[in-house]
Amino acid sequence: MANLDRKYDVLVIGGGNAGLCAAVTAKQAGCSVLLIEHAPQVFRGGNSRHTRNLRVAHEKTHFVLTGSYSETEYWEDLLRVTAGNTDEELAKLTISATSELLPWMQSCGVRFQPSLSGTLSLSRTNAFFFGGGKTLVNSYYAIAARLGIDVLYDSEVQDMVMQGSRFVAAKISHNGFPKTVEAKAAVVASGGFQANIEWLEEYWGPSARNFIVRGTPYARGRVLKSLLTQGVKSVGDPTQCHAVAIDARSPKFDGGIVTRLDCVPFSVVVNKEGRRFYDEGEDFWPKRYAIWGRMVAQQDDQIAYCVLDSKSLELFMPSVFPPVQANTIEGLATQLGLDATAVSNTVREYNQHVRDGKFDTTVLDDCHTEGLTPAKTHWARRIDAPPYYGYPLRPGITFTYMGVKVDRHARVAMDDGKPAENLFAAGEIMAGNILGKGYLAGIGMSIGTVFGRISGKEAARNAQQ
């Protein structure tokens, strides 16, 4: 049971994947550890409980992974989606370390399921958790309990007490009562600020009010803001984030993975004027799904619509919400609240420019358009087989990329370029070091797990000095 009158060796702020990995690692190193989780116990785990997998480098087939996925290919994939906006040293450190993660995770009780096939194209690159993210989180909490890690739920960090570059204490609200927690070293793993709509609005303007937060409503960025006002160096563009296209009918917070829409590569996507605005078939979906949230956010009223026909309905995992259905494109447009003539003209023009090829969801196929702007470069088929289906899209924000700068030892950097004496970071609060823009499916969990372990190890070493 947590004892707030004692001074812990290591304080971990945030009870998701990164924080749990840090806490377990620090405890295994012989330290007393207190983990503070903002959420009540039933909602513990942050965004991690909505995840399904992590991206892993490996040289040969594994029971949960097919083929091989070299560190070089992993790096090239990351370089492509970030357009070079990444810290090469930290990125390559993370990629290399993923090859060692699965045995350690299994030793903590995490179980994996056999590799998945299908349109996600992830069987070679991503290891899927048996039971999903919530089971993963529960496994880590179970080992935390066995190891004797103290956990404090319903506890929001209100402020970080710093003396220059040294962490001293955290001022928290526990069940509504103010407390102060001291520790020899601290790991911040408290996520981004995506649930703080007012803060998002500072960078996005009024359009932020139309964003849907896919995960925890507790990620309000209070720890991040406190640190940035006390000389901690920031990293990342505040308008960059992991944002995907999700069903516009989703709840404002915590809808999770079931609200994501994976139909874009097999559809045409139109804005409220009924016009296409980007190449739906640019690349494999796991390398492009996280750009669509930003693109929808840039449309008028932050809304867009997928339009597809019966040939494509079974090619993707459906949303938790049923599609809108009609026997004509005009009828579908009307049900979606769009101008029927505009949508019909867009689909007709698209169909006229489709060039037939060998349709194959497992490769970058040769089904494409010619003479159409924007082009559709892969998986382009005419939308001509009724009934027709549609989904309304909103930007679903997962986590923000602006965070704290760190080094390879997970030490938080100060504005003068020197590392903080005893403050470390892991997970979404530092992911912007590696994700300057764009996203690769599963890499967020990879960053959190790798830097969770690094920060726990380094915080323990610091506390024991």
Side-chain angles (χ1 to χ4, degrees):
M1 186 172 181
N3 178 6
L4 301 188
D5 293 326
R6 69 179 292 191
K7 185 174 185 177
Y8 284 87
D9 292 328
V10 176
L11 172 66
V12 177
I13 300 169
N17 172 65
L20 288 162
C21 290
V24 169
T25 301
K27 186 65 178 180
Q28 289 174 333
C31 288
S32 59
V33 179
L34 173 64
L35 184 145
I36 293 178
E37 166 66 306
H38 185 184
Q41 183 170 352
V42 69
F43 289 120
R44 69 187 183 185
N47 284 344
S48 302
R49 74 188 203 282
H50 291 305
T51 62
R52 295 178 298 172
N53 58 76
L54 79 168
R55 184 167 288 248
V56 178
H58 59 104
E59 293 299 326
K60 58 184 179 180
T61 295
H62 186 277
F63 87 99
V64 299
L65 295 160
T66 61
S68 66
Y69 186 50
S70 70
E71 293 179 18
T72 299
E73 185 182 359
Y74 198 152
W75 164 246
E76 290 172 349
D77 284 344
L78 179 63
L79 202 60
R80 188 178 307 114
V81 299
T82 61
N85 290 295
T86 184
D87 183 309
E88 182 172 353
E89 179 189 17
L90 299 185
K92 288 186 174 179
L93 169 68
T94 300
I95 290 169
S96 179
T98 63
S99 64
E100 304 172 353
L101 290 184
L102 298 191
W104 182 82
M105 295 173 70
Q106 289 172 307
S107 75
C108 294
V110 177
R111 298 172 63 194
F112 295 90
Q113 65 184 51
S115 60
L116 297 179
S117 60
T119 58
L120 286 179
S121 306
L122 294 175
S123 64
R124 188 171 62 87
T125 59
N126 289 44
F128 280 74
F129 317 131
F130 185 82
K134 193 165 186 177
T135 300
L136 172 132
V137 165
N138 288 344
S139 297
Y140 282 136
Y141 274 106
I143 192 172
R146 292 196 299 272
L147 292 173
I149 295 170
D150 291 342
V151 178
L152 209 59
Y153 297 108
D154 290 296
S155 301
E156 182 184 17
V157 173
Q158 305 281 310
D159 199 15
M160 299 287 283
V161 181
M162 302 284 294
Q163 289 182 354
S165 62
R166 184 166 189 80
F167 166 80
V168 176
K171 292 184 178 181
I172 72 172
S173 173
H174 173 57
N175 288 326
F177 293 94
K179 301 285 185 180
T180 299
V181 182
E182 296 184 355
K184 296 177 183 177
V187 175
V188 289
S190 48
F193 60 94
Q194 61 274 4
N196 189 332
I197 303 300
E198 296 80 8
W199 198 0
L200 289 177
E201 203 170 342
E202 291 181 21
Y203 308 113
W204 283 90
S207 64
R209 300 171 195 168
N210 287 327
F211 292 1
I212 295 173
V213 181
R214 300 177 69 210
T216 174
Y218 302 99
R220 297 188 54 80
R222 197 151 190 169
V223 171
L224 174 61
K225 183 164 282 191
S226 175
L227 292 174
L228 295 183
T229 61
Q230 297 185 77
V232 166
K233 189 174 182 62
S234 68
V235 70
D237 180 345
T239 68
Q240 292 289 341
C241 54
H242 180 300
V244 307
I246 68 171
D247 198 299
R249 298 164 289 183
S250 305
K252 183 67 174 178
F253 295 99
D254 231 17
I257 194 72
V258 296
T259 64
R260 194 177 89 191
L261 288 172
D262 295 328
C263 56
V264 169
F266 314 116
S267 316
V268 294
V269 179
V270 300
N271 57 23
K272 63 179 291 188
E273 285 78 37
R275 294 194 298 266
R276 293 176 63 243
F277 52 90
Y278 197 77
D279 179 355
E280 300 92 346
E282 184 178 34
D283 204 342
F284 287 118
W285 190 233
K287 299 177 184 179
R288 284 295 178 268
Y289 76 95
I291 70 172
W292 276 87
R294 280 182 59 83
M295 287 190 292
V296 173
Q298 292 164 354
Q299 303 305 306
D300 289 346
D301 293 340
Q302 295 72 57
I303 189 88
Y305 304 85
C306 270
V307 176
L308 60 150
D309 67 10
S310 58
K311 295 193 302 291
S312 299
L313 191 62
E314 302 299 323
L315 295 178
F316 57 91
M317 290 188 299
S319 164
V320 70
F321 301 99
V324 177
Q325 179 179 341
N327 288 323
T328 65
I329 293 293
E330 292 82 0
L332 179 66
T334 299
Q335 288 195 56
L336 292 171
L338 298 171
D339 183 279
T341 300
V343 176
S344 178
N345 287 341
T346 293
V347 173
R348 185 181 303 111
E349 182 184 23
Y350 165 79
N351 285 345
Q352 290 171 350
H353 288 84
V354 168
R355 298 296 176 261
D356 293 328
K358 183 179 179 181
F359 181 77
D360 188 342
T361 64
T362 66
V363 299
L364 296 173
D365 72 8
D366 59 351
C367 296
H368 64 284
T369 61
E370 283 184 3
L372 184 66
T373 304
K376 185 171 182 181
T377 50
H378 305 287
W379 310 299
R381 295 192 295 178
R382 294 175 185 85
I383 297 175
D384 58 5
Y388 301 100
Y389 301 92
Y391 291 94
L393 307 176
R394 285 277 187 203
I397 186 167
T398 312
F399 65 92
T400 46
Y401 286 0
M402 185 178 77
V404 298
K405 187 170 179 58
V406 299
D407 64 14
R408 63 182 295 110
H409 303 291
R411 296 180 298 186
V412 170
M414 305 301 293
D415 280 334
D416 61 8
K418 297 179 181 178
E421 296 178 43
N422 60 343
L423 184 63
F424 306 84
E428 292 171 2
I429 198 171
M430 51 68 59
N433 289 270
I434 297 167
L435 295 169
K437 64 182 289 188
Y439 193 72
L440 276 176
I443 197 171
M445 289 295 285
S446 299
I447 295 169
T449 307
V450 168
F451 271 88
R453 295 184 68 196
I454 293 172
S455 62
K457 175 184 175 182
E458 296 296 335
R461 179 181 297 168
N462 185 286
Q464 292 167 337
Q465 288 178 349

